[in-house]
Amino acid sequence: MLTDQRHQLIRDRLAAEGRVLAGELASRFGVSEDTVRRDLRELAKAGECRRVYGGAIASAPFAAATIGQRGGHAVEEKARLARAAVALISAGQSLFIDGGTTNEAVARAIPLDLDLTIATNSLGVASALSDHPLVELIVLGGRFVRDLGTCVGADTLAAVAQLGADLFFLGSCGLDASRGVTAFDSAEAEVKRAMARNSAGVVIAVTNDKLATAAPYRVAAAGRISHLVVEKTAPAAVLADFERQGAKIHFA
Amino acid sequence: MLTDQRHQLIRDRLAAEGRVLAGELASRFGVSEDTVRRDLRELAKAGECRRVYGGAIASAPFAAATIGQRGGHAVEEKARLARAAVALISAGQSLFIDGGTTNEAVARAIPLDLDLTIATNSLGVASALSDHPLVELIVLGGRFVRDLGTCVGADTLAAVAQLGADLFFLGSCGLDASRGVTAFDSAEAEVKRAMARNSAGVVIAVTNDKLATAAPYRVAAAGRISHLVVEKTAPAAVLADFERQGAKIHFA
DNA sequence: GCATGTTTTGCACGTTTGTGCAAGAAGCAT
DNA sequence: ATGCTTCTTGCACAAACGTGCAAAACATGC
């Protein structure tokens, strides 16, 4: 990867999110953090960003415009979860990625130098992956549900049925050790079930607010979860229940 | 291999990808890296690219040309075309919308209070429509082609085959009265053909630079075009040819 | 036909640039 | 204050670079 190219991508990201993290960029570009830090130093010298501990933020005039817009603190938490989740992926694997903001964060966190085959029914995930040159992207079409940002229905199920994956990144609505993974919508749950059925492993990354909650429609038993990525502050008691049922716990 | 020939190929690649790698070109052309470097130095001297460590990137004036084409100054013209094209839509209709920046502009121009059923294989179109509350949106999945921003392949064709539409907004690569509508890619052309087959009317909105040009793969005969939306400055002679074959001309 | 000059290309050389690693300093958090 | 992460600096190594040179391909002139 060319140095200037990296600089441009950093600029893009600064424009999109207002701030960047050194570690995140490093894993994304497949280079060492030192290199990213050097890049950031150069951009800062050119006045394109301001260097801060941990990364850099877009310089003043621009920052005002975007940072307010996406001010959520959950954004950072989800990005952290996403980085931990991405660590479970190996080159050459094929993945299902479900919808939801956490999974969109996962898609954004996938390094550019990883060759993967990824099938998704989420528009947001597909968009996030559309600039990954090494990712073979398969869009699972169907009836688009606005509230979810994903496609569901018979067409989606048929498309999923034709595929298999090593890992399935399941966007969870509710997660409870006894009731398992649950969703708010029947058709959505059906698609998730199909993806789970055709995947070797199931990965779920959740923020604490989803833990120990349940929604009406059942997607999978807790025992089906291979990897559970949670915040450091997740309640240990809840995690122990999942762990007992075979899930490997990863802290972001 | 001739020197000028090599130069042209490098130019093409710069135009297509925005950057080139010295080593990559060397192995591709079967010459030494030194030769490629000499080529790049010459092109850089002529202002056609900027030399960077590892290769070269398209220089500013050129980058402006392509970026502008994809979203700079032509944007206003495309928005104007899009507004004129949208006027052809009636409430309650079902549409196919193809990929391309012009069609994305069409999608954005669709009023929020129109209830429609729209099927698209373009991520950009789908995203643009994802906030239209009254639009029933169907995503036509398949293998995603980065350069086109659309899905193609057997899955896409199968999805199209199940649907019918009143109007098909065809994103055209080349448009010529005798050769008809043409596309750059075989799989892309196939999807367009399927959409045209299942639609009552075909609408094409084009900027002047696409008129009277042709690409390798044939999509449909000129006689298949129901509505042609063009700029006010489009050459009358060309339009007359289409009109004779049954297309209704609309000026943006 | 042969010699000469020009252009192009590949190779060898030393130099520059970018990158990763290690060690120590500095910043942040608990 | 302690322990962690992140930062800077120096260093080493590999990749890419430019230059000079020689061989080959081609054209040109005698």
Side-chain angles (χ1 to χ4, degrees):
Chain A
M1 157 165 288
L2 268 50
T3 309
D4 289 29
Q5 211 177 345
R6 227 174 31 232
H7 286 191
Q8 191 52 50
L9 288 169
I10 294 175
R11 265 188 285 265
D12 291 350
R13 211 160 173 83
L14 276 168
E17 308 200 1
R19 64 111 232 251
V20 292
L21 303 177
E24 189 185 10
L25 291 174
S27 71
R28 188 178 168 77
F29 296 148
V31 298
S32 77
E33 295 196 14
D34 303 74
T35 303
V36 171
R37 275 191 275 272
R38 268 184 276 249
D39 291 340
L40 294 180
R41 246 178 290 175
E42 281 187 52
L43 290 177
K45 202 166 189 175
E48 308 202 43
C49 66
R50 199 158 57 77
R51 196 78 178 73
V52 295
Y53 193 85
I57 58 179
S59 39
F62 164 80
T66 47
I67 278 181
Q69 165 196 345
R70 324 181 152 230
H73 138 275
V75 164
E76 290 173 33
E77 192 50 47
K78 291 196 176 184
R80 196 159 27 235
L81 283 174
R83 280 193 296 278
V86 163
L88 301 171
I89 305 174
S90 315
Q93 286 188 320
S94 55
L95 317 174
F96 279 123
I97 303 187
D98 192 17
T101 49
T102 307
N103 274 340
E104 288 180 23
V106 168
R108 272 195 298 273
I110 290 175
L112 287 174
D113 62 347
L114 218 51
D115 69 304
L116 297 166
T117 302
I118 301 183
T120 183
N121 63 332
S122 156
L123 267 195
V125 169
S127 297
L129 292 172
S130 64
D131 60 350
H132 280 59
L134 297 181
V135 168
E136 160 95 4
L137 179 59
I138 296 162
V139 177
L140 303 164
R143 183 168 54 86
F144 181 76
V145 181
R146 221 169 308 285
D147 299 340
L148 305 171
T150 56
C151 295
V152 301
D155 295 335
T156 317
L157 290 172
V160 172
Q162 293 183 359
L163 298 166
D166 298 306
L167 290 179
F168 169 27
F169 286 79
L170 204 175
S172 164
C173 302
L175 196 52
D176 182 275
S178 59
R179 301 188 49 190
V181 186
T182 47
F184 285 114
D185 178 271
S186 156
E188 183 194 7
E190 206 170 353
V191 172
K192 289 174 195 287
R193 272 197 295 270
M195 287 181 171
R197 194 162 43 234
N198 291 2
S199 305
V202 174
V203 180
I204 301 188
V206 283
T207 45
N208 286 346
D209 57 317
K210 301 258 183 68
L211 274 177
T213 66
Y217 295 93
R218 170 140 182 170
V219 173
R224 187 68 184 78
I225 304 171
S226 326
H227 299 274
L228 187 58
V229 183
V230 296
E231 305 180 43
K232 284 203 185 70
T233 56
V238 177
L239 298 181
D241 284 342
F242 285 103
E243 208 160 11
R244 239 190 315 280
Q245 300 190 50
K248 188 154 186 338
I249 311 288
H250 306 264
F251 293 97
Chain B
M1 158 164 290
L2 269 51
T3 309
D4 288 357
Q5 202 178 348
R6 229 173 30 231
H7 285 196
Q8 192 51 50
L9 288 171
I10 295 175
R11 263 188 286 265
D12 291 349
R13 213 166 172 78
L14 276 168
E17 308 195 7
R19 63 109 229 236
V20 292
L21 305 178
E24 192 183 35
L25 291 174
S27 69
R28 172 172 271 265
F29 296 149
V31 298
S32 76
E33 295 198 16
D34 304 71
T35 305
V36 171
R37 274 193 278 271
R38 269 186 274 251
D39 291 341
L40 293 180
R41 244 178 293 177
E42 282 187 51
L43 290 176
K45 202 166 189 176
E48 307 201 44
C49 66
R50 195 161 59 81
R51 196 77 178 73
V52 297
Y53 194 87
I57 60 180
S59 60
F62 162 79
T66 39
I67 281 171
Q69 168 192 344
R70 284 194 155 253
H73 129 275
V75 147
E76 294 168 33
E77 193 50 47
K78 294 200 173 178
R80 198 160 26 236
L81 283 175
R83 278 192 296 276
V86 163
L88 301 171
I89 306 174
S90 314
Q93 285 188 320
S94 56
L95 317 174
F96 278 125
I97 303 186
D98 191 16
T101 49
T102 308
N103 276 338
E104 288 180 21
V106 169
R108 273 193 298 275
I110 290 175
L112 286 173
D113 60 351
L114 219 49
D115 69 302
L116 297 165
T117 302
I118 300 181
T120 184
N121 63 330
S122 156
L123 265 196
V125 169
S127 298
L129 292 171
S130 65
D131 58 353
H132 281 59
L134 298 182
V135 169
E136 160 92 4
L137 179 60
I138 296 161
V139 178
L140 302 164
R143 182 169 54 83
F144 181 77
V145 180
R146 224 169 306 284
D147 298 341
L148 305 172
T150 57
C151 296
V152 301
D155 295 334
T156 316
L157 290 172
V160 172
Q162 294 182 0
L163 299 167
D166 298 306
L167 289 178
F168 169 28
F169 286 80
L170 203 175
S172 164
C173 300
L175 194 53
D176 182 276
S178 59
R179 300 186 51 188
V181 186
T182 47
F184 285 115
D185 179 270
S186 157
E188 184 194 7
E190 207 171 352
V191 171
K192 288 175 196 287
R193 272 198 294 272
M195 287 181 171
R197 197 162 42 236
N198 292 2
S199 305
V202 173
V203 181
I204 300 188
V206 283
T207 45
N208 287 344
D209 58 316
K210 302 258 184 68
L211 275 177
T213 65
Y217 296 94
R218 170 142 183 167
V219 174
R224 188 68 184 77
I225 303 171
S226 326
H227 299 274
L228 186 58
V229 183
V230 296
E231 305 180 43
K232 283 204 187 67
T233 55
V238 177
L239 299 181
D241 284 342
F242 286 105
E243 207 160 11
R244 238 190 315 279
Q245 298 190 51
K248 189 155 184 338
I249 312 290
H250 305 263
F251 291 97

